[in-house]
């Protein structure tokens, strides 16, 4: 089958002609409608969320505990556990942005001589958004004061910071940890910690 052809033999959406684009919400994330005309003449409106580059940080303390944020997600009408995350501003270095968000959301910072370690990047819900999230492992981190928050609206999110062993976080998947971004980052971090000789002090937490 031709890679540019759908399974039913007709030309795919990648061959469509864009005739109109409308932006309903411009910032911070654009909600876009595109009017597409397929090669066979079929027309449709396609809606998606267009986002700037984003990142997610998995912070690990020197004793092997994960630092997570508990917050209320209005879309879900419930509280969930997540890792600190955010969007980079224009031309902002992703690692520096991740360190900034770590401090603002948790009050933790990288310990001296510690580093942000890239764990990979992935698309989140590609049927509805082009959001591309870069995952970083921050190890070890130390408490540097209370979380300050980075936006006015965050004071309504009922945010709090918690630390827990990796084994406890894994047990919480499907319950308090319900987002695929957080779960993916958790799995990436677990694999990285298990295979890194520099973090042997964390093995008890990882293998717990």
């Amino acid at each position: 089958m031709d890679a540019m052809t759908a399974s039913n033999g007709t030309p795919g959406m990648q061959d469509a002609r864009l005739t109109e684009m409308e932006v309903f919400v411009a910032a911070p994330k654009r909600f876009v409608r595109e009017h597409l005309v397929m090669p066979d003449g079929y027309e449709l409106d396609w809606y998606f969320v267009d986002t700037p580059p984003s990142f997610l940080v998995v912070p690990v303390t020197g004793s092997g505990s994960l630092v997570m944020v508990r917050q209320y997600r209005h879309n879900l009408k419930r509280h969930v556990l997540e890792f600190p995350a955010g969007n980079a501003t224009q031309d902002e270095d992703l690692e520096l942005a991740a360190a900034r968000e770590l401090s603002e959301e948790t009050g933790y910072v990288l310990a001296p001589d510690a580093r942000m370690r890239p764990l990979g990047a992935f698309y989140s819900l590609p049927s509805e958004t082009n959001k591309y999230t870069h995952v970083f492992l921050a190890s070890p981190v130390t408490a540097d004061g209370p979380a300050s928050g980075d936006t006015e609206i965050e004071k309504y999110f009922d945010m709090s910071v918690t630390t827990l062993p990796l084994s406890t976080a894994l047990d919480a998947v499907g319950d308090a940890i319900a987002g695929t971004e957080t779960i993916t980052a958790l799995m990436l971090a677990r694999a990285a910690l298990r295979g890194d000789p520099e973090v042997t002090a964390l093995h008890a937490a990882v293998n717990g």
Side-chain angles (χ1 to χ4, degrees), residues 1-18 36-42 44:
M1 182 180 68
D2 189 331
M4 298 294 287
T5 303
S7 58
N8 59 5
T10 61
M13 187 177 285
Q14 61 269 35
D15 301 309
R17 179 165 51 93
L18 174 64
L36 304 175
V37 180
M38 301 300 150
D40 61 3
Y42 182 77
L44 62 85

Side-chain angles (χ1 to χ4, degrees), residues 95-142:
E95 291 191 26
L96 293 178
R100 167 180 52 77
E101 196 74 14
L102 169 65
S103 175
E104 290 174 347
E105 287 199 4
T106 68
Y108 281 75
V109 297
L110 283 168
D113 299 325
R115 57 197 171 99
M116 285 282 181
R117 187 183 320 166
L119 295 182
F122 59 93
Y123 288 102
S124 305
L125 197 60
S127 62
E128 298 181 15
T129 177
N130 60 5
K131 183 179 182 183
Y132 194 57
T133 303
H134 299 260
V135 180
F136 294 97
L137 177 66
S139 175
V141 297
T142 60

Side-chain angles (χ1 to χ4, degrees), residues 35-53:
H35 187 75
L36 304 175
V37 180
M38 301 300 150
D40 61 3
Y42 182 77
E43 300 185 23
L44 62 85
D45 285 326
W46 189 261
Y47 299 86
F48 66 97
V49 179
D50 176 39
T51 73

Side-chain angles (χ1 to χ4, degrees), residues 4-87:
M4 298 294 287
T5 303
S7 58
N8 59 5
T10 61
M13 187 177 285
Q14 61 269 35
D15 301 309
R17 179 165 51 93
L18 174 64
T19 63
E20 181 184 0
M21 185 177 75
E22 181 178 9
V23 178
F24 294 109
V25 180
K29 302 171 185 177
R30 300 198 314 163
F31 183 46
V32 178
R33 177 186 66 85
E34 292 186 345
H35 187 75
L36 304 175
V37 180
M38 301 300 150
D40 61 3
Y42 182 77
E43 300 185 23
L44 62 85
D45 285 326
W46 189 261
Y47 299 86
F48 66 97
V49 179
D50 176 39
T51 73
S54 65
F55 52 82
L56 182 151
V57 185
V58 181
V60 184
T61 68
S63 62
S65 292
L66 300 176
V67 181
M68 303 193 73
V69 178
R70 182 181 184 271
Q71 62 181 308
Y72 181 77
R73 286 298 190 187
H74 182 69
N75 295 355
L76 309 180
K77 307 298 188 292
R78 57 170 290 190
H79 287 81
V80 292
L81 281 176
E82 299 177 346
F83 292 115
N87 297 315

